[in-house]
Amino acid sequence: MNAQKCNFHTHTNFCDGKNTAEEMVIAAINAEINVLGFSGHCIHPLNPEFYKPVDDIWHMPSDKIQDYVNEVLRLKDKYADKIQIMLGFEADYFSAPEYGTAIPDFDAYSQFSPDFLIGSVHFANTPKGFYTVDHKAEVIKENLIKLYSKPNGEIDGRAAVCDYFQAQREMLQKGNFDIWGHPDLMRKRNGLLKFFDENESWYKEELRLTAMTAAKTNVIAEINTGAIARGAMDDTYPSAEFLEIIYDLGIPVCINSDAHTTDGIDCAFDRAIQLAKKTGYTELVYPGNIIVDL
């Protein structure tokens, strides 16, 4: 199927989005988006209450998932003559002996019959505890000090980054999902905190190893503009350098806004398109055999 404009990474007030699902649909129609995929944050089968002591709850609570599904299906029918709507989840990968395991996998989500899944890593787990890598800079700094301090008091940024990418590789190996969400999310607060150097050879090796793991699957890598929309970073995920590695390994890409508000529904799409073209891509690929020519 050919389409002109798609966004498969859309959040609503069922999780940490600011707008209702219907408001996001109307914004997408106004932005001339042809296919809109909803991707509520989910850590099924775990109940997100387990991380309440360290973070605000931003995943859909277990008892609200079916309400979300019902609303997306209602909107799919209501707006069928204006836009194609697809039901999805941004499914988190998380594994800790004391809390359990969540894996982005169609079998695990089968009761909800999703059209697609985004597999994402938002948590880094260590023997000392876990934290959310996608948080405010000051909270990230507190956790890095708590979990990654060397004996001399310095933060071991390399260890933190390696833990994150190891979780990415585990997710790619164990999961079964369509879209690989924001592959280098760890960069989000590095501009402020500067806890690692993206030019170091060890970091580039982490990118290469992770992309090689992805290349052994059928995932679509996401060019995500969400950090631009929220002013957290003036760049996409993945970085241009990481995207080149992804391209060289033959991994297809899509462009998503990771929208949490109506005004971010197609944020920086033109910029992301230019990055994809410059890298060598001639088309975008989305779940459902949807192709967008560049």
Side-chain angles (χ1 to χ4, degrees):
M1 173 186 174
N2 287 312
Q4 294 178 329
K5 191 175 182 182
C6 304
N7 180 56
F8 274 60
H9 200 148
T10 312
H11 296 290
T12 71
N13 59 3
F14 278 101
C15 53
D16 62 344
K18 304 304 181 186
N19 293 96
T20 67
E22 188 154 13
E23 287 170 342
M24 297 302 276
V25 171
I26 293 169
I29 292 169
N30 290 337
E32 299 182 341
I33 289 174
N34 305 100
V35 187
L36 180 69
F38 281 102
S39 56
H41 283 296
C42 200
I43 197 164
H44 180 75
L46 303 182
N47 190 317
E49 287 289 325
F50 79 89
Y51 66 76
K52 194 171 184 178
V54 299
D55 197 359
D56 295 329
I57 301 299
W58 45 274
H59 289 87
M60 288 184 287
S62 297
D63 61 356
K64 297 295 183 183
I65 297 175
Q66 191 59 53
D67 292 342
Y68 161 77
V69 170
N70 293 343
E71 177 63 0
V72 173
L73 294 179
R74 182 186 74 85
L75 296 171
K76 180 185 287 195
D77 181 63
K78 179 177 178 179
Y79 291 94
D81 62 334
K82 295 182 174 66
I83 190 170
Q84 182 180 351
I85 294 174
M86 299 185 75
L87 169 66
F89 295 91
E90 183 175 12
D92 245 286
Y93 175 76
F94 180 84
S95 184
E98 61 268 50
Y99 301 108
T101 299
I103 299 176
D105 185 277
F106 277 101
D107 287 342
Y109 282 78
S110 61
Q111 71 192 87
F112 307 115
S113 300
D115 297 314
F116 71 99
L117 291 179
I118 299 175
S120 294
V121 174
H122 292 92
F123 293 99
N125 191 36
T126 79
K128 296 180 180 179
F130 66 90
Y131 73 107
T132 314
V133 303
D134 186 12
H135 212 308
K136 296 176 182 177
E138 58 268 27
V139 178
I140 297 292
K141 184 176 181 179
E142 290 173 4
N143 280 295
L144 290 173
I145 293 171
K146 176 184 175 182
L147 301 172
Y148 292 100
S149 286
K150 298 179 180 179
N152 64 3
E154 293 180 1
I155 293 173
D156 190 345
R158 177 174 179 172
V161 172
C162 288
D163 279 352
Y164 166 78
F165 280 110
Q166 177 60 33
Q168 288 266 3
R169 293 192 287 271
E170 290 176 6
M171 176 185 72
L172 288 161
Q173 290 167 340
K174 297 177 181 179
N176 174 25
F177 53 93
D178 299 293
I179 297 174
W180 176 22
H182 39 58
D184 51 0
L185 179 64
M186 199 69 177
R187 296 168 53 236
K188 183 175 181 178
R189 302 300 182 187
N190 193 45
L192 285 173
L193 300 179
K194 302 186 187 308
F195 60 97
F196 70 95
D197 184 350
E198 293 182 40
N199 294 311
E200 292 277 356
S201 59
W202 67 263
Y203 178 74
K204 295 180 181 182
E205 179 65 6
E206 287 296 315
L207 300 184
R208 187 185 70 82
L209 290 173
T210 307
M212 287 178 65
T213 304
K216 296 175 183 177
T217 73
N218 293 316
V219 297
I220 303 163
E222 171 186 75
I223 302 176
N224 182 310
T225 63
I228 300 171
R230 286 177 277 176
M233 183 176 67
D234 187 29
D235 200 3
T236 62
Y237 314 108
S239 65
E241 182 173 11
F242 196 6
L243 187 61
E244 288 179 3
I245 298 171
I246 290 168
Y247 172 77
D248 288 343
L249 289 169
I251 301 170
V253 295
C254 63
I255 293 173
N256 287 325
S257 66
D258 200 347
H260 285 67
T261 59
T262 54
D263 59 1
I265 199 74
D266 62 348
C267 174
F269 269 27
D270 290 345
R271 180 172 170 179
I273 288 170
Q274 291 307 311
L275 174 62
K277 286 182 175 180
K278 183 178 179 181
T279 306
Y281 285 100
T282 59
E283 65 181 23
L284 305 176
V285 179
Y286 293 85
N289 296 316
I290 296 173
I291 307 295
V292 178
D293 294 325
L294 293 176

